Amino acid sequence: MEIETTQFKRCNVITLKGRFDSSTAPDLEKALRQSIDQGNTNIVLDMAGVEYFGSAAIRALVMAYKECRRRLAPGDVKLARVPERIRHVLDLAGIAELVEMYDDPVAAVGSF
């Protein structure tokens, strides 16, 4: 599991690699919380390298989405390069209707 945050002018891109389950989701939540606490409420998760995204990781994603949206200067969480199997899981969980997904992280960053 790897998490790398890159700061841009209008958003943060958090690149994820590996498995995100109940043992690694706290690290994802920490990275998301750190971005939000620093005032960066526009977040793109680049998920090209994600092998597994379990319920604990989905919970961290939803927490960040809600937190970003309710700030005084509201932001958003967007996903990029979501693998098809992960996209299917997000669709079953009802997340695909909330969070915008892009095929390219550059397009996701440009949408802010």
Side-chain angles (χ1 to χ4, degrees):
M1 185 266 327
E2 293 177 42
I3 301 172
E4 180 182 323
T5 301
T6 306
Q7 295 183 346
F8 291 98
K9 190 173 188 175
R10 296 186 295 177
C11 71
N12 281 357
V13 175
I14 301 176
T15 304
L16 307 177
K17 293 180 183 171
R19 296 179 55 84
F20 291 87
D21 53 24
S22 59
S23 64
T24 56
D27 295 329
L28 172 60
E29 187 171 344
K30 181 180 175 184
L32 291 165
R33 170 70 43 213
Q34 187 175 21
S35 179
I36 294 167
D37 289 347
Q38 292 173 352
N40 301 313
T41 56
N42 289 329
I43 300 171
V44 173
L45 292 180
D46 184 349
M47 301 180 70
V50 175
E51 299 166 8
Y52 177 82
F53 206 73
S55 60
I58 291 172
R59 187 171 46 254
L61 171 62
V62 171
M63 174 280 306
Y65 173 81
K66 287 180 178 180
E67 182 67 25
C68 287
R69 304 280 290 198
R70 71 172 165 233
R71 290 287 175 131
L72 288 174
D76 203 355
V77 176
K78 300 182 182 189
L79 307 179
R81 299 194 296 181
V82 181
E84 192 59 39
R85 65 189 175 283
I86 306 298
R87 189 180 292 254
H88 182 69
V89 169
L90 295 175
D91 189 39
L92 289 174
I95 305 304
E97 299 171 7
L98 296 175
V99 181
E100 292 180 50
M101 295 188 211
Y102 294 84
D103 292 332
D104 180 28
V106 174
V109 169
S111 69
F112 286 112

